[in-house]
Amino acid sequence: MKYFLIYLFLEVMVSVNAASAIGAVATFVELVLSALIGFILLANMRVTLMQNLSALMQGEISLQSFQRLNLWTIVGAILLILPGFLGDIVGLLLQFSSIVTLLVAKFLHVKEDNQYPPRHFKQGNEDEIIDIEVIDDDHRIK
């Protein structure tokens, strides 16, 4: 609750100062455009999800990173939809995965888990054992 009140205070201070600097019409246009961008990002979340899923399958990111990146992308899109300049700035920054990774590592003191080491493919004449089962398609009675 304390952090929400701090955020609300900062949001009001930044929004009032920015609105007085750029004017009412520009503030309205910024609020509408940021909301549209937030809705577009939520609508195209499947593209971001597929990119992160591809990186997960290739072993470039861990499962925790996959979950964290997608969560922060959604939070950023929601912050863009909500009115306010500070929320728009933070929401825009949350759309960049490198900034999210930096912020999470810096402020939340999260260390990267490497539960899934990168896959190394065998090369050369190394033998692999393949277990198969042969099923006879002949249904005649013998």
Side-chain angles (χ1 to χ4, degrees):
M1 184 67 171
K2 177 175 69 170
Y3 295 116
F4 176 72
L5 291 176
I6 292 171
Y7 168 75
L8 190 59
F9 175 74
L10 290 173
E11 182 72 61
V12 169
M13 295 297 294
V14 170
S15 295
V16 167
N17 287 329
S20 66
I22 66 173
V25 174
T27 300
F28 178 74
V29 169
E30 188 276 332
L31 292 176
V32 170
L33 285 178
S34 68
L36 285 174
I37 291 170
F39 283 122
I40 289 169
L41 286 172
L42 281 180
N44 292 328
M45 182 60 194
R46 66 176 181 262
V47 174
T48 305
L49 185 64
M50 292 307 291
Q51 289 172 348
N52 291 338
L53 187 60
S54 174
L56 177 67
M57 297 296 280
Q58 294 174 359
E60 296 172 359
I61 61 173
S62 68
L63 184 59
Q64 289 79 19
S65 296
F66 173 74
Q67 293 168 346
R68 194 169 44 241
L69 288 174
N70 291 322
L71 173 72
W72 291 118
T73 302
I74 293 171
V75 168
I78 291 171
L79 283 174
L80 282 169
I81 293 170
L82 296 175
F85 285 94
L86 183 63
D88 291 345
I89 293 167
V90 172
L92 201 62
L93 290 175
L94 289 177
Q95 298 306 313
F96 301 104
S97 62
S98 59
I99 293 174
V100 171
T101 304
L102 177 69
L103 291 175
V104 167
K106 181 77 172 173
F107 294 113
L108 298 181
H109 304 293
V110 176
K111 294 183 179 176
E112 185 69 30
D113 284 344
N114 287 332
Q115 288 182 348
Y116 305 101
R119 296 180 181 166
H120 299 287
F121 297 102
K122 295 181 179 182
Q123 296 178 356
N125 292 334
E126 296 180 17
D127 292 330
E128 286 189 20
I129 299 174
I130 300 175
D131 188 18
I132 62 170
E133 180 178 343
V134 177
I135 299 174
D136 188 16
D137 288 339
D138 191 10
H139 297 292
R140 291 182 286 156
I141 299 176
K142 295 180 183 181

